[in-house]
Amino acid sequence: QVQLLESGGGSVQPGGSLKLSCAASGAISVFCAQAWYRQAPGKERELVASINRRGVTTYNDSVKGRFTISQAQFNNDVYLQMNSLRTEDTAAYYCAAAAWVQCASAKNDRINTWGPGTQVTVSS
């Protein structure tokens, strides 16, 4: 069983930066895709950023140019560098992964593993 654990959340002033980390452990598997999601109080969960095995990234338009998702070179850890933070970025941030034996079919792009989340609060 693959497990994910986020760290790096906290409180920061608008315009500040935080770097979230997601440590992967447990069963050996292929991470066909990894992503960061967030959910603010009273709002639905939304995709923040994703990255696949080829390093191709996608970003929510609201964070494009400010956030960067990246993968560790030698393990399955994934990071989210957040710059120029805004009040509206306040949310619980969740690491997620499509962890499978192989990445041979479309189903392997489906997220099947979640971390417990880490809180990010942006306020003055």
Side-chain angles (χ1 to χ4, degrees), residues 2 13 19 21 41-42 44 47 58 60 66 68 81 86-87 89 95 106-107 113:
V2 175
Q13 294 183 335
K19 185 174 183 178
S21 298
E44 295 185 5
L47 176 67
T58 62
N60 187 302
R66 300 187 297 120
T68 302
Q81 178 67 50
R86 304 166 180 169
T87 300
D89 294 318
C95 177
K107 76 172 185 178
T113 308

Side-chain angles (χ1 to χ4, degrees), residues 47-51 55-70 79-81:
L47 176 67
V48 177
S50 67
I51 186 167
V56 178
T57 59
T58 62
Y59 294 93
N60 187 302
D61 286 341
S62 67
V63 307
K64 195 172 299 181
R66 300 187 297 120
F67 291 10
T68 302
I69 188 171
S70 61
Y79 309 96
L80 184 68
Q81 178 67 50

Side-chain angles (χ1 to χ4, degrees), residues 30-83:
V30 178
F31 279 28
C32 303
Q34 294 167 277
W36 288 92
Y37 288 79
R38 68 185 181 186
Q39 186 169 25
K43 299 180 67 177
E44 295 185 5
R45 183 184 64 189
E46 65 177 0
L47 176 67
V48 177
S50 67
I51 186 167
N52 68 13
R53 294 284 293 177
R54 300 174 182 85
V56 178
T57 59
T58 62
Y59 294 93
N60 187 302
D61 286 341
S62 67
V63 307
K64 195 172 299 181
R66 300 187 297 120
F67 291 10
T68 302
I69 188 171
S70 61
Q71 298 168 314
Q73 185 174 4
F74 300 111
N75 57 39
N76 288 320
D77 292 0
V78 65
Y79 309 96
L80 184 68
Q81 178 67 50
M82 305 184 294
N83 298 325

Side-chain angles (χ1 to χ4, degrees), residues 83-95:
N83 298 325
S84 302
L85 283 162
R86 304 166 180 169
T87 300
E88 54 264 40
D89 294 318
T90 296
Y93 283 71
Y94 299 89
C95 177

